[in-house]
Amino acid sequence: MSDLYIGLMSGTSLDGIDGVLADFSGPRLRVTHHASAAFAPALRAELLALNTPGDNELHRAALAGNALSRAYAEVVHTLLQRSGHPASAIRAIGAHGQTVRHRPQEFDGTGYTLQLGSPALLAELTGITVVADLRSRDVAAGGQGAPLVPAFHQGVFGRPDETVLVLNIGGISNLSVLEADGSVLGFDCGPGNALMDHWCQQHTGQPFDKDGAWAATGQVLPGLLAALLQEPYLHKAPPKSTGRDLFNPAWLAAHLQPFVQAAAADVQATLTEFTASASAICANSYLNNSKTLAVCGGGALNGQLMQRLQAACPSLQVVATDALGLPALQVEAAAFAWLARQALNGAPGNLPSVTGAVGPRVLGAVYPA
């Protein structure tokens, strides 16, 4: 039986889709091909809008899920074309979907997490089995439903002789603490690129601050940084997870009210420092014998952010996960290929030590080809 899987990830940064073709047949995972695609502007705008309450949400969300699945299918076809594999050679696609709400344990004690997408349509368009809805079983079991990547990080980056820290910086940042004895912790640190991207789009018209170049022209505003760092979420003990439900433009606007005269570049510099500081506080709390903070996700490509992380974590070597053998933009997509494989093999995909669920659970709903 084939041990080839495709993983698809579109994260809270809304910067597009990353897809990988992963081969699990050897002793270690091998990513053989990678493809990415930016969102069409209209789809990106609609997905962003659906993060907040609005008119006719059910109808709009259903159509956005269809459009997202068509975009996913294009990435799958690109991977098949580049690899030369037929669809029949792929055992399954792990499709994350687009998170538009994440409210575990709220309201009724269980809460919910919602990822848009139409996995049935994706299965029809590709002729490949799809595993989707990978977070809600953990939430049903009393967990946060996030982060799900630490178990995968342990298998790929864990070492028997030291604690390895892996920081994923997408729209939200999350930390995996991979202990030398095999135990794993993980949680969302706070904002990743989401606030920086919003401010950059608003003031420059660009979807993100490439390499942090704009932030590098500004000066950090100490009063604003201190106010941002007072956010109660940052001081909660794990397990914990967050998203745009908290770190969104309205949250930022409320904190900016006393700083309306600040230069836009100074705010961008402060938001970059905020992401670095919130992440560094977490990393520095779990040093043990660790030497490395390995960064993945789009944030790893932001040179200014990486510099600020290094300054805030002087006892660690801050590197992109490329240095550990898996490129930064491939890690999360590979994790969802792994989660699809776990599901089809009837193996748990969550770690209760990370999410707080009452026990390990097989994650995901399966849509056969």
Side-chain angles (χ1 to χ4, degrees), residues 341-357:
R341 184 174 186 262
Q342 293 291 101
L344 291 197
N345 290 338
N350 65 333
L351 288 176
S353 63
V354 170
T355 68

Side-chain angles (χ1 to χ4, degrees), residues 2-333:
S2 167
D3 218 4
L4 297 174
Y5 288 77
I6 286 175
L8 299 172
M9 181 67 196
S10 53
T12 50
S13 60
L14 283 165
D15 55 355
I17 303 161
D18 281 300
V20 299
L21 179 57
D23 184 350
F24 292 93
S25 63
R28 294 184 66 85
L29 158 76
R30 189 167 65 95
V31 172
T32 65
H33 294 82
H34 170 243
S36 60
F39 285 133
L43 177 57
R44 184 182 190 278
E46 182 70 332
L47 292 171
L48 183 59
L50 285 165
N51 277 265
T52 53
D55 292 335
N56 209 14
E57 284 183 281
L58 293 177
H59 172 74
R60 292 166 50 210
L63 293 182
N66 287 348
L68 178 64
S69 291
R70 292 188 182 99
Y72 274 178
E74 290 299 318
V75 173
V76 171
H77 291 314
T78 298
L79 289 168
L80 295 176
Q81 182 179 34
R82 290 178 180 175
S83 68
H85 289 300
S88 59
I90 311 303
R91 190 171 181 211
I93 297 167
H96 177 267
Q98 189 64 44
T99 300
V100 292
R101 296 286 196 284
H102 185 68
R103 306 297 291 270
Q105 301 178 356
E106 297 187 43
F107 311 116
D108 63 353
T110 300
Y112 64 92
T113 184
L114 179 61
Q115 287 74 44
L116 295 186
S118 176
L121 179 58
L122 181 59
E124 289 292 333
L125 293 172
T126 62
I128 301 172
T129 294
V130 174
V131 182
D133 190 23
L134 287 148
R135 298 188 185 276
S136 48
R137 182 63 190 272
D138 184 86
V139 171
Q144 292 285 314
L148 295 180
V149 291
F152 172 75
H153 288 165
Q154 172 66 15
V156 176
F157 302 123
R159 294 174 57 103
D161 55 345
E162 68 173 281
T163 298
V164 177
L165 304 176
V166 181
L167 179 68
N168 176 66
I169 306 179
I172 299 298
S173 62
N174 56 72
L175 181 72
S176 296
V177 182
L178 314 176
E179 302 281 6
D181 64 3
S183 59
V184 181
L185 295 173
F187 53 91
D188 287 349
C189 301
N193 301 314
L195 298 177
M196 295 186 291
D197 290 352
H198 161 71
W199 192 253
C200 187
Q201 176 76 49
Q202 182 176 332
H203 289 274
T204 72
Q206 299 301 311
F208 63 95
D209 182 11
K210 187 175 181 179
D211 203 32
W214 185 39
T217 68
Q219 300 294 320
V220 172
L221 302 168
L224 176 58
L225 179 61
L228 297 174
L229 287 169
Q230 289 175 8
E231 163 57 45
Y233 174 83
L234 304 180
H235 306 284
K236 287 177 61 177
K240 61 179 182 176
S241 61
T242 189
R244 288 181 182 268
D245 307 82
L246 173 59
F247 294 108
N248 56 41
W251 181 92
L252 178 59
H255 285 81
L256 286 175
Q257 286 181 359
F259 302 92
V260 291
Q261 301 301 319
D266 291 347
V267 173
Q268 185 72 2
T270 307
L271 293 175
T272 303
E273 192 74 16
F274 177 42
T275 290
S277 297
S279 299
I281 289 168
C282 297
N284 289 328
S285 298
Y286 292 93
L287 288 176
N288 293 339
N289 64 340
S290 55
K291 304 183 182 86
T292 302
L293 178 62
V295 183
C296 57
L301 307 185
N302 184 325
Q304 178 68 7
L305 177 58
M306 293 288 279
Q307 287 182 28
R308 300 316 305 152
L309 269 173
Q310 183 63 80
C313 301
S315 64
L316 294 166
Q317 183 182 14
V318 177
V319 298
T321 55
D322 303 56
L324 277 63
L326 190 56
L329 293 184
Q330 298 180 14
V331 175
E332 274 208 297

